Amino acid sequence: MTGRRRGIRVTAIGIVLTALMLFPVYWMINVSLTPQQDMRKNPPDLLPLHPTFEGYRAVLHDQLPYLLTSLLIGLGTVALTLVLAAPAGYALAKLRPRGGGALGLALLIAQMIPGIVMAMGFYGIFLNVGLMNTWWGLIVADSTIAVPFGVLIFRAFMSGIPDELLAAARIDGAGAFRAFWSIVLPVSRNALVTVSLFSFLWAWSDFVFANTLDAGGDLRPITLGIYRYIGNNNQEWNAIMATAVVASVPAALLLVLAQRYVAAGVTAGAVKD
């Protein structure tokens, strides 16, 4: 009986903590459905008593180009990250080049550098090479955050692949690249999904690089498109929150669909036989 009461208490605490964490999400949806004239109520309504979809209509009318730009940058970041991180992780895990330990340490240090510091460096470089306000420039910038993480994940995961599997491939005449492409990548599905997901989410939610490297142009991701509704004398809060809701949907769907692979990918290498 004591164990059952303890379980009930733990469940109740978990429900309360979950509700507290999800309340900002609920409030975002609530405000997105609240008419503009009701925004200044004190206290505000906890439920949208007179719901309106004007904010969502504004999003569909104004924000689609920004959403498409974010999608393009996100998918491009995923592609570039996988192209660079997967072979690097394979080399560190299985080919074991000289200096691999130092490179792993450098990757860890690279993840500690504040984004604004990297953004300032990219600003000077992009200004000289003409990459300001370009989607491929943002892909390169966002990949600098995703690639070190991807290399570490691939290295940890691929270290767990039996060496006998690769030895058998070499006996059959497969070289290092063929073994990587035909054997290592197919069995690294969890790591591929994990790295792809986090790369996309970082690019999708990026604000620092986008705001620094956009140079006031028209090619803006959704994190900058939301400023269309913010002015000195006017803030369209229902449109702002509707944009935030719409922008959150792809990330939430990806997390739900990929959670099983992510759980396996991020714990790769944690347990050794």
Side-chain angles (χ1 to χ4, degrees):
M1 196 67 178
T2 303
R4 184 178 180 183
R5 290 178 179 175
R6 184 180 302 168
I8 293 175
R9 286 197 299 268
V10 171
T11 302
I13 294 172
I15 292 174
V16 171
L17 293 177
T18 302
L20 290 175
M21 289 187 292
L22 292 180
F23 182 77
V25 178
Y26 164 74
W27 195 251
M28 179 175 66
I29 298 173
N30 179 31
V31 174
S32 72
L33 296 172
T34 302
Q36 188 68 27
Q37 62 270 17
D38 294 342
M39 292 293 177
R40 299 185 181 275
K41 281 187 177 181
N42 190 16
D45 295 327
L46 291 177
L47 293 172
L49 301 178
H50 308 287
T52 178
F53 292 94
E54 287 300 322
Y56 292 94
R57 279 192 281 270
V59 171
L60 295 178
H61 182 266
D62 301 329
Q63 299 292 332
L64 284 182
Y66 304 116
L67 287 168
L68 292 176
T69 300
S70 287
L71 181 62
L72 176 63
I73 294 171
L75 294 178
T77 301
V78 170
L80 182 58
T81 299
L82 293 180
V83 168
L84 296 177
Y90 169 67
L92 292 175
K94 293 302 180 183
L95 302 183
R96 300 179 180 90
R98 296 181 62 181
L103 179 58
L105 178 61
L107 292 173
L108 285 174
I109 295 174
Q111 292 187 292
M112 301 177 188
I113 301 175
I116 188 62
V117 175
M118 299 176 64
M120 292 297 100
F122 277 123
Y123 182 85
I125 296 172
F126 283 14
L127 197 61
N128 291 327
V129 300
L131 285 179
M132 295 293 291
N133 191 32
T134 60
W135 58 268
W136 55 87
L138 287 179
I139 288 174
V140 171
D142 289 330
S143 296
T144 59
I145 296 178
V147 168
F149 170 81
V151 173
L152 295 175
I153 290 293
F154 279 121
R155 180 187 184 182
F157 192 93
M158 293 175 180
S159 295
I161 298 176
D163 291 333
E164 293 80 6
L165 193 62
L166 300 179
R170 286 194 293 270
I171 292 174
D172 290 336
F177 177 79
R178 180 64 182 275
F180 166 73
W181 183 261
S182 301
I183 297 175
V184 175
L185 279 185
V187 301
S188 302
R189 179 180 60 181
N190 292 338
L192 286 168
V193 174
T194 301
V195 174
S196 299
L197 177 64
F198 280 95
S199 301
F200 182 85
L201 292 180
W202 279 325
W204 183 265
S205 61
D206 169 60
F207 175 79
V208 173
F209 287 154
N211 190 47
T212 305
L213 305 176
D214 176 73
D218 297 327
L219 187 67
R220 297 183 178 184
I222 190 64
T223 49
L224 296 184
I226 196 172
Y227 279 89
R228 183 185 182 98
Y229 305 122
I230 301 176
N232 292 329
N233 300 313
N234 181 43
Q235 293 84 34
E236 300 177 36
W237 285 110
N238 57 348
I240 292 171
M241 292 303 178
T243 303
V245 171
V246 172
S248 300
V249 169
L253 287 177
L254 286 174
L255 284 171
V256 170
L257 294 175
Q259 60 179 337
R260 177 165 61 92
Y261 302 102
V262 171
V266 297
T267 57
V271 178
K272 295 293 185 181
D273 294 334

